[in-house]
Amino acid sequence: MKSMRAAVVESFGADLNVTDRRVPTPERGQALVKLIASGVCHTDLHAAQGDWPVRPTPPFVPGHEGVGIVEEIGEGVEDLEVGDMVGNAWLWSACGTCQHCRTGWETLCESQVNGGYSTDGSFGEYMIVDAAYAPRIPEGSDPHEIAPVLCAGVTVYKGLKMTGVRPGQWVVISGVGGLGHIAVQYAVAMGMRVIAVDVADDKLALAERHGAELTYNAMGRDPAQEIQEAVGGTHGVLVTAVHPSAFGQAIGMTRRGGTIVFNGLPPGDFPAPIFEIVLKGLTIRGSIVGTRQDMVEALDFYARGTIRPTFTRRRLDDVNAVLDEMEHGKIEGRVVIDYTEEA
Ligand code: NAD
Ligand code: ZN
Ligand code: ZN
């Protein structure tokens, strides 16, 4: 039996156990991938803490920003070869036949499988992918640098599209963490004018380096009024923050007719002022990752050099320290687990 190192959630709220596990065998339609890199998403922290209404079932291996090399293919796989570089994703697979899948909304499929949540993910030296859904990594990519695009990147790229903000119009990126710092870059690349909001000045400095024109610190306060005074409110807001207060504040930041897209998933609720939403004609919508086509587009922005994740390499053994730093807002951009020998 071949074994590997993997970080396993054995019970919610406890440290992940970095331990030996059996290397899985690819079944029909699947491939076995040897990991090179994996981003650490805040969703992995929600998964390990079990703080969402729909919980995964321990023991499981988190991680859905994995990049690696196909080492073995299962029966019936014709469009992947040993040696190809592929990734995993939150949308690990979907049914392909339901109404949502048929109409280009596979991200809403009720039979979808989620990487690192309902099937084992990329916090291990090997992972299984579904050949029909595994993102293909563009040639010439740096596997560590591109890893965050597989969830953070595609999620905010899709989220920005859902705001309907056009070139030359204003968008707020609320929360400048793993998702938000890439959102600033996609928004700039898409011709939008960017305002960044976070509760930490170092995150706002990162947003400025990536092209935000105005920044506001929301620690203990609501910058909505200042944003109204500065630009007359924004056409769109993309909320990637991990605190519910940012969701309510988004309503006050928007100009009449604007659209607010929620990407962030902190457990909880926020008060929504009905009068303001109705009179301003606001649209508030959720957005979950992106389809395979959104993924191709999101990866292409990276391949063309228009977006570039800010990241720090760490070892799998550090995963608990990384999650602790994430919980306390201490990470700049993304942390990417490095599985290569030389690190
Ligand atoms: P992260 O920890 O890297 O970043 C979160 C950021 O929010 C930090 O910069 C933090 O300072 C900031 N923040 C905290 N409180 C805030 C406040 N009140 N106002 C403004 N900013 C605030 O997390 P991440 O990996 O970027 O993920 C963010 C959220 O998005 C998580 O809840 C995650 O589960 C969710 N997520 C959703 C999708 C989706 O498809 N919808 C995909 C990936 C992640
Ligand atoms: Zn994610
Ligand atoms: Zn489906």
Side-chain angles (χ1 to χ4, degrees):
M1 188 185 86
K2 205 170 153 189
S3 77
M4 63 168 181
R5 300 288 287 167
V8 184
V9 175
E10 290 175 347
S11 59
F12 295 124
D15 274 0
L16 278 62
N17 187 12
V18 183
T19 182
D20 290 326
R21 275 211 146 192
R22 190 179 60 81
V23 173
T25 307
E27 293 175 7
R28 189 174 179 79
Q30 300 179 344
L32 176 70
V33 175
K34 186 173 197 296
L35 270 297
I36 298 171
S38 175
V40 180
C41 180
H42 205 109
T43 293
D44 299 314
L45 179 59
H46 293 304
Q49 295 187 332
D51 65 12
W52 282 350
V54 181
R55 293 167 137 203
T57 312
F60 67 96
V61 178
H64 53 268
E65 289 183 348
V67 176
I69 302 293
V70 173
E71 193 164 288
E72 196 183 328
I73 51 174
E75 262 179 73
V77 175
E78 286 172 0
D79 56 351
L80 269 188
E81 284 175 23
V82 170
D84 286 351
M85 193 182 282
V86 300
N88 73 341
W90 177 254
L91 187 69
W92 192 89
S93 74
C95 81
T97 55
C98 71
Q99 179 218 314
H100 306 296
C101 284
R102 289 200 315 269
T103 55
W105 281 100
E106 60 193 14
T107 48
L108 304 183
C109 177
E110 295 195 50
S111 310
Q112 68 185 271
V113 175
N114 297 125
Y117 209 81
S118 56
T119 192
D120 283 342
S122 51
F123 286 7
E125 291 170 315
Y126 288 88
M127 67 178 177
I128 294 287
V129 296
D130 183 311
Y133 288 83
R136 273 57 171 173
I137 304 300
E139 223 168 287
S141 304
D142 173 338
H144 296 89
E145 193 174 60
I146 202 172
V149 180
L150 294 174
C151 177
V154 70
T155 298
V156 299
Y157 170 63
K158 175 66 160 213
L160 283 165
K161 285 206 273 187
M162 302 309 293
T163 64
V165 173
R166 294 194 299 273
Q169 296 184 333
W170 286 100
V171 69
V172 171
I173 307 297
S174 174
V176 189
L179 265 63
H181 90 285
I182 305 181
V184 172
Q185 299 179 60
Y186 276 110
V188 169
M190 292 157 93
M192 302 173 189
R193 302 190 67 183
V194 178
I195 295 175
V197 174
D198 202 293
V199 289
D201 286 339
D202 55 333
K203 307 288 174 75
L204 297 174
L206 178 66
E208 270 179 24
R209 292 206 294 282
H210 285 307
E213 291 179 55
L214 298 169
T215 62
Y216 296 92
N217 191 321
M219 178 57 98
R221 52 191 286 280
D222 183 351
Q225 191 53 40
E226 287 162 76
I227 291 173
Q228 291 296 341
E229 283 162 17
V231 300
T234 62
H235 305 82
V237 181
L238 184 70
V239 186
T240 76
V242 288
H243 194 280
S245 63
F247 293 71
Q249 291 178 359
I251 294 165
M253 295 173 185
T254 317
R255 70 172 62 184
R256 291 183 168 224
T259 298
I260 296 160
V261 174
F262 291 167
N263 270 163
L265 276 162
D269 306 296
F270 68 94
I274 297 166
F275 187 82
E276 194 177 348
I277 293 168
V278 174
L279 264 77
K280 283 170 79 176
L282 301 183
T283 301
I284 301 178
R285 58 190 312 179
S287 184
I288 177 78
V289 292
T291 62
R292 286 171 289 177
Q293 179 58 29
D294 295 317
M295 184 73 87
V296 168
E297 295 170 19
L299 291 169
D300 187 57
F301 274 75
Y302 171 82
R304 287 183 287 116
T306 36
I307 64 118
R308 203 164 174 191
T310 292
F311 71 101
T312 313
R313 290 172 203 245
R314 299 285 286 272
R315 305 300 295 176
L316 183 64
D317 283 324
D318 293 338
V319 67
N320 290 305
V322 170
L323 292 176
D324 188 64
E325 289 160 27
M326 176 173 271
E327 190 171 1
H328 294 97
K330 288 189 191 146
I331 291 170
E332 179 175 76
R334 253 306 184 242
V335 163
V336 175
I337 296 170
D338 185 355
Y339 291 102
T340 59
E341 299 296 331
E342 55 270 26

